[in-house]
Amino acid sequence: MTTNTASKEVVKSLLKQFEEKAPEIVFEWHDAETGAEGWVVINSLRGGAAGGGTRMRKGLNKREVESLAKTMEVKFTVSGPPIGGAKSGINFDPADPRKEEVLRRWYKAVFPLLKNYYGTGGDLNVDEIHEVIPITESYGLWHPQEGIVNGHFQASKPVKIKKIGKLRQGVSKVIEDPRFTPSTEKKYTVADMITGYGVAEAVRHFYELWGGEVQGKRAIIQGWGNVGAAAALYLAEMGVHIVGIIDKDNGLLAPKGLSPERVKELFVQRKGNSLQAGDMIPFNEADARIWDIGAEIFIPAAASRLVHQEHLDRMIAGGLEVISCGANVPFADEEIFYGPVAQYGDKRLSVIPDFIANCGMARVFAYLMTYEDEVLTDEAIFSDTSQTIRQALEQIRAQQDIPTSISAKAFEIALQKLL
């Protein structure tokens, strides 16, 4: 076994080559009625298809969508299937009451791509179950992943029907196993929980592989949407003390840690992606204090590019050990991948990159499309995601036994498959 063999020059060369390669397809859309604009960026049609979710936020631009499409291509080297990366992005305020009609016009415009070679799902401010699936089905799409079934698997009609059936059943499956849901009274689906579950499992696997006990560690959670809240829930069940939560409007500080019951309560009480608690504090106060509270684990699970070097320095001073990236491209860098802030953290900490930590939903799609005869139990689906993340980390661990530069080695392994 070697120590840190991830050559910085090799990684930089591979990343430069990958980043500078122009996307294969860029679809641009302008909504005449609202002024909304949108893009589908397909980095490549590797394996005959491409996949990536649909996000909406005010201020989103084409470069963000391109960077996320490239991130998806790297993610598929971990999650499978071996296809190209893509992303859809709409520059529009998701709080606008016209959101649904904008989504309807958007999916009508991109329907030919979704039918033939592009598969999508939910992402930031766009819900897989309540928005993507019903709207695309209303236009005659069998499932938002149909383009991958057609383009990559090139399935015969009977096989296609079987694969689509599994996708419909698995993604929308209501979780019944109490180990994987915050409440058996409210209905939560696999799509609601799987990404955050993977982010938490990445932390558990990290400590098992590189040494240390996850129980008793402290964690800071940035973002209280499905990913951040679910990651907090599963970490709390492992015995991790959630000492701070911050979303875009508010925060909650608990230096002694929140009980698993309180974390479940906060999960269930969410309004959209917003924290709801009687003892929460305004964002500015939370932002001023949370980075110094002291924690070994950090889960960035809000929007992209929010984590600055100052945040890292303050958390490092408080004992930070590992970052499990719930958000895509969480560091505040201009570069698509692995810019100065990401490198700074990777040299000093154990940074589990987004394409490993948050691959849960992509892995579920791959699992449901690939294995036709598997029984669709909660345990089977969640265990498969956990094992996929562990295998990716084991591959890194086999090549280096020190717990820094994990992201650099992960990129090296992934990009050598793509270039």
Side-chain angles (χ1 to χ4, degrees):
M1 184 187 296
T2 60
T3 55
N4 181 8
T5 58
S7 163
K8 293 175 188 173
E9 295 309 313
V10 169
V11 174
K12 283 181 181 178
S13 174
L14 289 169
L15 282 169
K16 188 171 188 291
Q17 189 180 343
F18 186 66
E19 287 183 14
E20 290 181 353
K21 185 179 178 183
E24 203 166 315
I25 298 168
V26 178
F27 175 95
E28 187 164 335
W29 173 77
H30 296 270
D31 185 32
E33 295 187 38
T34 64
E37 53 186 351
W39 301 268
V40 177
V41 176
I42 293 175
N43 192 58
S44 82
L45 287 174
R46 172 180 175 245
T54 304
R55 69 168 43 192
M56 177 187 285
R57 75 172 185 85
K58 193 174 182 179
L60 180 143
N61 58 35
K62 183 169 73 173
R63 177 171 170 76
E64 180 178 334
V65 183
E66 181 180 338
S67 72
L68 292 166
K70 288 182 181 292
T71 299
M72 286 304 304
E73 188 139 332
V74 176
K75 186 177 291 185
F76 286 127
T77 68
V78 173
S79 71
I83 59 173
K87 206 74 175 182
S88 291
I90 304 168
N91 176 16
F92 190 69
D93 183 357
D96 191 300
R98 299 171 293 174
K99 176 189 178 184
E100 184 180 348
E101 61 186 76
V102 167
L103 283 174
R104 286 193 170 279
R105 289 191 290 273
W106 165 258
Y107 283 121
K108 188 173 185 180
V110 301
F111 180 85
L113 284 66
L114 290 168
K115 194 72 176 173
N116 291 289
Y117 51 75
Y118 169 46
T120 196
D123 197 84
L124 186 69
N125 298 317
V126 178
D127 187 87
E128 170 95 18
I129 306 298
H130 301 105
E131 293 172 323
V132 183
I133 290 174
I135 294 172
T136 54
E137 279 189 353
S138 75
Y139 292 127
L141 201 69
W142 290 14
H143 189 273
Q145 297 285 307
E146 184 181 346
I148 296 174
V149 175
N150 289 331
H152 175 66
F153 291 98
Q154 298 183 350
S156 63
K157 191 168 183 179
V159 174
K160 176 180 171 179
I161 290 169
K162 199 169 183 179
K163 288 183 184 296
I164 295 290
K166 292 201 78 168
L167 282 165
R168 283 179 167 176
Q169 182 186 352
V171 175
S172 303
K173 184 184 184 307
V174 173
I175 300 168
E176 298 162 349
D177 191 324
R179 292 174 295 170
F180 303 115
T181 180
S183 171
T184 51
E185 295 175 8
K186 290 184 76 171
K187 292 182 178 180
Y188 293 96
T189 65
V190 169
D192 291 329
M193 305 301 296
I194 195 70
T195 304
Y197 173 78
V199 171
E201 285 291 281
V203 174
R204 183 172 69 84
H205 293 315
F206 163 76
Y207 280 113
E208 288 179 356
L209 291 168
W210 274 273
E213 176 59 56
V214 69
Q215 187 172 0
K217 301 287 186 186
R218 300 163 296 169
I220 294 169
I221 313 292
Q222 182 189 44
W224 202 242
N226 277 347
V227 178
L233 181 85
Y234 296 119
L235 286 171
E237 288 295 327
M238 293 175 200
V240 173
H241 303 302
I242 309 301
V243 294
I245 300 166
I246 186 167
D247 71 6
K248 62 185 177 63
D249 297 315
N250 299 289
L252 181 62
L253 305 182
K256 293 183 179 179
L258 300 168
S259 68
E261 292 72 28
R262 182 78 200 283
V263 176
K264 283 184 181 182
E265 181 183 284
L266 291 169
F267 186 107
V268 172
Q269 289 176 348
R270 286 180 310 148
K271 287 188 178 176
N273 293 334
S274 296
L275 182 68
Q276 301 293 316
D279 51 349
M280 64 186 181
I281 57 178
F283 173 84
N284 288 341
E285 184 182 347
D287 189 47
R289 296 168 55 192
I290 194 168
W291 313 110
D292 305 309
I293 199 167
E296 291 78 26
I297 300 163
F298 174 48
I299 308 294
S304 301
R305 305 184 191 278
L306 293 180
V307 181
H308 293 261
Q309 185 176 320
E310 179 204 354
H311 298 138
L312 295 179
D313 284 335
R314 291 166 68 181
M315 287 188 288
I316 289 168
L320 188 62
E321 296 172 349
V322 60
I323 299 175
S324 184
C325 297
N328 286 319
V329 198
F331 299 105
D333 291 315
E334 291 185 5
E335 291 80 2
I336 292 177
F337 301 112
Y338 207 59
V341 179
Q343 291 176 45
Y344 183 87
D346 199 34
K347 288 175 191 172
R348 291 160 178 81
L349 299 159
S350 302
V351 180
I352 304 169
D354 49 15
F355 60 91
I356 294 176
N358 74 11
C359 76
M361 198 66 240
R363 178 58 203 168
V364 170
F365 285 139
Y367 177 76
L368 295 171
M369 283 188 275
T370 304
Y371 303 107
E372 294 174 19
D373 299 320
E374 295 290 328
V375 178
L376 293 186
T377 63
D378 297 332
E379 183 173 13
I381 294 169
F382 280 77
S383 296
D384 174 75
T385 289
S386 176
Q387 191 56 36
T388 297
I389 290 168
R390 186 179 181 91
Q391 286 170 356
L393 292 174
E394 284 176 340
Q395 195 173 2
I396 297 165
R397 181 66 176 80
Q399 297 187 40
Q400 62 183 48
D401 50 17
I402 62 170
T404 54
S405 297
I406 288 174
S407 289
K409 177 55 72 176
F411 275 118
E412 184 182 326
I413 291 167
L415 292 173
Q416 284 174 343
K417 295 177 184 177
L418 296 175
L419 296 171

